[in-house]
Amino acid sequence: MQRGLSNIYLIKCCKCSIVKKVYTNQVFDYQRGLFTINAKAAAGSLDAGIGESQLNSLLTSMNIETVSSALLKRYERKIGKCIEEVAIESCSQSLEEEKTLAQSANYIVLDTHRSLLGHGVLMGHYSKKIFSYATRSKNCRKCRLGHDKSDHDCRMNYDGSAKSMEADMAVKLYIKNPLFAQHDVFGARIIMDNDWSTIATLP
């Protein structure tokens, strides 16, 4: 039985006829049948910024069984929260490093991208590391299909225009950032593109 990149073989004893399951890869959740190799494939896809099609193209070239989009998405949801926890801790460490390097002068680089899904990050001028990020999403496939927000990890959190999305993330990252209060820091200067709608929202 194929389970993504792993398999389960049913081996029958020729003497006692007892059937045993043999797993070709480590299982980290027997109740849900989750395999380590599939979780690593999902994590690697997220890290490389590729999806099911690109991953399956790579697997096909190596004569390895492909994975379905549903399986990949299931593992992404499973490991996604762990990745977010690590990201938050990493941002906290980067902010503390930037605080040490900056001393009196504090420059912050703001970079954003907007569409149906917007991404925004704050980077330290001295450490060159990201220490805060925000996302804005105007779309959720499950919500479109009629699912209630309580039965899935819905990431739709914005209903404004794409133009105002960048400004909204800038406020969240630069003005209402909880990490700034935790580490007792503030941004003295910000480096960004010439977006006047965003500039107007910042002090």
Side-chain angles (χ1 to χ4, degrees), residues 13 36 60 80 83 86-87 93 132-133 152 154 169 171 181-182:
C13 178
T36 302
T60 302
I83 293 175
V86 173
Q93 293 174 1
S132 199
Y133 63 91
H152 64 283
C154 181
M169 286 187 288
V171 170
Q182 291 176 22

Side-chain angles (χ1 to χ4, degrees), residues 50-194:
I50 62 175
E52 173 226 350
S53 298
Q54 294 90 340
L55 176 61
N56 282 334
S57 294
L58 177 63
L59 294 173
T60 302
S61 67
M62 297 186 291
N63 293 324
I64 299 175
E65 291 285 348
T66 58
V67 297
S68 67
S69 58
L71 180 135
L72 202 60
K73 184 59 67 176
R74 185 164 72 249
Y75 278 90
E76 285 177 0
R77 293 193 185 102
K78 182 73 175 177
I79 65 177
K81 292 182 179 179
C82 299
I83 293 175
E84 287 180 351
E85 290 174 3
V86 173
I88 291 171
E89 178 62 27
S90 176
C91 285
S92 182
Q93 293 174 1
S94 297
L95 181 56
E96 194 61 37
E97 180 181 344
E98 180 70 16
K99 177 183 176 181
T100 303
L101 292 172
Q103 298 299 328
S104 58
N106 192 1
Y107 295 86
I108 294 175
V109 181
L110 173 66
D111 185 27
T112 58
H113 166 72
R114 62 178 186 268
S115 58
L116 286 177
L117 178 63
H119 308 269
V121 295
L122 281 183
M123 294 174 283
H125 179 70
Y126 296 98
S127 65
K128 312 299 183 187
K129 294 181 179 179
I130 293 173
F131 55 76
S132 199
Y133 63 91
T135 60
R136 293 292 181 269
S137 177
K138 300 176 65 176
N139 186 36
C140 174
R141 181 174 174 272
K142 285 206 168 185
C143 286
R144 287 204 323 269
L145 294 174
H147 288 261
D148 189 84
K149 282 184 176 291
S150 61
D151 70 0
H152 64 283
D153 186 17
C154 181
R155 296 306 175 100
M156 186 167 62
N157 59 1
Y158 190 73
D159 59 3
S161 66
K163 179 67 175 175
S164 62
M165 187 181 285
E166 184 172 340
D168 187 68
M169 286 187 288
V171 170
K172 168 67 170 61
L173 292 169
Y174 192 71
I175 300 175
K176 299 180 179 180
N177 195 326
L179 281 177
F180 283 13
Q182 291 176 22
H183 292 268
D184 191 27
V185 299
F186 67 94
R189 297 174 179 84
I190 188 166
I191 303 170
M192 56 176 289
D193 61 8
N194 193 22

Side-chain angles (χ1 to χ4, degrees), residues 11-26:
I11 308 297
K12 184 178 181 180
C13 178
C14 60
K15 290 185 177 181
C16 63
S17 298
I18 294 177
V19 178
K20 291 285 189 179
K21 287 183 178 180
V22 177
Y23 301 92
T24 60
N25 192 259
Q26 183 180 359

